[in-house]
Amino acid sequence: MNAVAVESRLQARLDALAAVTEPGEGVTRPSFGPLEREAHALVSDWAREDGARVETDAAGNTVLIYGEGEPYLLLGSHLDTVPAGGRFDGTVGVLAGMEAAAQVAGELELGVRVVAFSAEEGARFGRPCLGSELATGASPAGLLDRLRDAAGDSINDVARATGLTPEACEPWLRAPAVAAYLEVHIEQGLVLEHERVRLGVVDVIAGADRLAIELTGYAQHSGTTPMAGRRDALAAAAEIVLDVERVGREARHGVATIGRLDVGPNSPTTVPGSVRAVVDVRDVDAGRQRASVEAVRAAIDAVAERRGTPATVTSLASRAPVMLSAWPRRALTAACADAQLPYRVLPSGAGHDAAVVAHTAPAALLFVPTPNGRSHAPDEACRTEDIAAACVVLAGALRRLDDDAAGAAALPDPEQEG
Ligand code: GLV
Ligand code: MN
Ligand code: MN
């Protein structure tokens, strides 16, 4: 397929997936919800049209099998979104993977598959990469009943409503069956745009801690309760928001955010009696990440003590930074050079399924630019020609990995040689 045809097919598929959304601004396809399933069904139909076979595991990870056999090269990303998110986050990696797999499957010795992971976004349950954790066997015991969304429904409740049984998911994603995993993703930042390069090869993916805070104040009439002696849970939360911002600023290359507050009773005429919040701490340095989490915990305790608003803090997720594997990374950089596409090596501040997969199989991550760096927002953008360039590089990297694997298989087995 020529470049123009690839771009127009990518465009049509991006448009079709963007239409699978809750009403409102941007794209909203909540993790483990029916719209996420609808998006998975759509890509499955397209893959079947390309001649691929489709399998879905109990956690709803959809595997599109373009080239049978093991070991196999795996491509992919996710199809869920944050509320009022963009049309490219995740989607680009699944669609680019499908293009590259369709192009090279017939040529390779290794098998080729594309996975659309379920539930990558941490927005709904506070913890990201649930599908890839289940596929790799990294999901902690009890998590699926423990984590709940804003409506109070557990992961298991929500997933069962769409016919999935994540607790029954048998881990399947690991070496040696999976020779390597390659993910394409929008950068969601400004480095590539500022440096005017079309592709980025990621070396390290930032670690992330998510802490759920529950602050308990005392709900009272806002007109009759004197200012002195109030136990206002929202005023306490406001201080904590600023403390978290300070911790993020002091971390230099790290970040810290409170992106969500649920206020109870959330009424204009009642002193807030309770607040639930989620803190998101990220860093590419594991030591600094731990130090920031400690500083956030200390700030929460200090505010809670001083204001008489007791706080409980629960860890929803704690993932260390991940160095990606050299072998598939080299295949990506060599394929960029082959295609005469300048690239830049850079870290990823956002989390990605590749960080989870990297624990069980060699994994690499290729970025395409995000104009204005805006993501997790309705006006998230990405140029189709950049996605098409990523498809060329992916296809080249798959060929190189296949050649390398054939070369390694041809070497004498040291065990047999004695
Ligand atoms: C993924 O989207 C993240 O929040 O890092
Ligand atoms: Mn994503
Ligand atoms: Mn995202």
Side-chain angles (χ1 to χ4, degrees):
M1 202 180 264
N2 66 32
V4 177
V6 168
E7 280 187 41
S8 76
R9 183 154 89 160
L10 283 168
Q11 194 56 59
R13 289 179 171 179
L14 286 163
D15 289 344
L17 283 168
V20 181
T21 175
E22 287 180 5
E25 265 203 301
V27 182
T28 302
R29 280 196 299 270
S31 310
F32 283 131
L35 290 169
E36 185 191 46
R37 298 322 314 152
E38 203 176 314
H40 279 240
L42 208 48
V43 300
S44 300
D45 288 346
W46 295 330
R48 285 192 196 95
E49 285 165 20
D50 285 348
R53 194 165 63 77
V54 178
E55 284 180 0
T56 302
D57 70 16
N61 298 305
T62 302
V63 184
L64 314 170
I65 302 163
Y66 283 83
E68 298 280 352
E70 279 187 15
Y72 57 88
L73 296 164
L74 186 65
L75 307 159
S77 197
H78 62 97
L79 295 173
D80 58 327
T81 74
V82 297
R87 47 161 54 203
F88 301 102
D89 178 354
T91 309
V92 160
V94 175
L95 295 183
M98 291 168 72
E99 290 296 340
Q103 257 176 49
V104 304
E107 305 168 23
L108 305 188
E109 290 292 315
L110 296 174
V112 185
R113 302 183 183 202
V114 178
V115 58
F117 287 114
S118 54
E120 187 271 351
E121 297 289 0
R124 183 166 191 176
F125 295 102
R127 186 181 178 92
C129 300
L130 298 167
S132 49
E133 279 195 335
L134 287 157
T136 55
S139 185
L143 187 84
L144 303 173
D145 285 315
R146 186 160 55 81
L147 294 193
R148 290 176 184 268
D149 64 9
D153 295 323
S154 72
I155 297 172
N156 268 334
D157 296 339
V158 169
R160 278 191 204 117
T162 62
L164 300 174
T165 48
E167 75 273 26
C169 183
E170 288 291 334
W172 54 268
L173 198 173
R174 73 177 79 80
V178 177
Y181 170 75
L182 300 178
E183 178 165 353
V184 175
H185 204 281
I186 56 169
E187 182 201 339
Q188 306 176 287
L190 285 167
V191 176
L192 299 179
E193 179 155 289
H194 281 166
E195 301 206 359
R196 297 179 192 283
V197 281
R198 291 179 68 192
L199 295 166
V201 177
V202 174
D203 52 1
V204 56
I205 299 180
D209 272 88
R210 301 276 156 75
L211 303 174
I213 313 174
E214 288 200 41
L215 283 162
T216 308
Y218 194 59
Q220 284 168 296
H221 195 295
S222 66
T224 57
T225 310
M227 295 308 290
R230 286 188 181 196
R231 289 195 284 130
D232 181 332
L234 183 56
E239 278 199 50
I240 291 170
V241 168
L242 295 177
D243 283 332
V244 166
E245 185 189 44
R246 176 183 48 76
V247 169
R249 284 186 202 278
E250 288 171 0
R252 287 184 47 231
H253 300 298
V255 289
T257 310
I258 290 191
R260 175 162 163 192
L261 293 177
D262 295 302
V263 182
N266 210 23
S267 153
T269 53
T270 308
V271 176
S274 68
V275 169
R276 287 188 298 158
V278 179
V279 189
D280 180 14
V281 175
R282 312 213 194 189
D283 212 302
V284 290
D285 179 287
R288 275 198 323 242
Q289 182 183 338
R290 277 194 299 275
S292 293
V293 170
E294 286 313 308
V296 166
R297 283 182 178 273
I300 295 168
D301 288 348
V303 171
E305 168 84 26
R306 180 161 37 76
R307 287 184 164 269
T309 50
T312 59
V313 180
T314 318
S315 172
L316 298 174
S318 182
R319 195 167 288 140
V322 172
M323 263 327 262
L324 293 172
S325 330
W327 176 50
R329 175 143 53 95
R330 270 203 309 273
L332 286 177
T333 53
C336 287
D338 292 344
Q340 299 189 326
L341 286 161
Y343 66 90
R344 135 107 208 216
V345 175
L346 77 175
S348 171
H352 296 289
D353 291 305
V356 173
V357 174
H359 293 287
T360 58
L365 180 60
L366 181 68
F367 275 168
V368 288
T370 312
N372 304 316
R374 220 159 125 75
S375 183
H376 282 189
D379 59 352
E380 178 179 271
C382 181
R383 285 178 293 269
T384 318
E385 65 259 35
D386 292 337
I387 309 174
C391 294
V392 170
V393 169
L394 266 191
L398 292 173
R399 291 189 184 102
R400 281 181 166 272
L401 292 169
D402 190 63
D403 281 351
D404 289 350
L411 291 175
D413 180 346
E415 307 257 324
Q416 299 295 316
E417 294 283 294

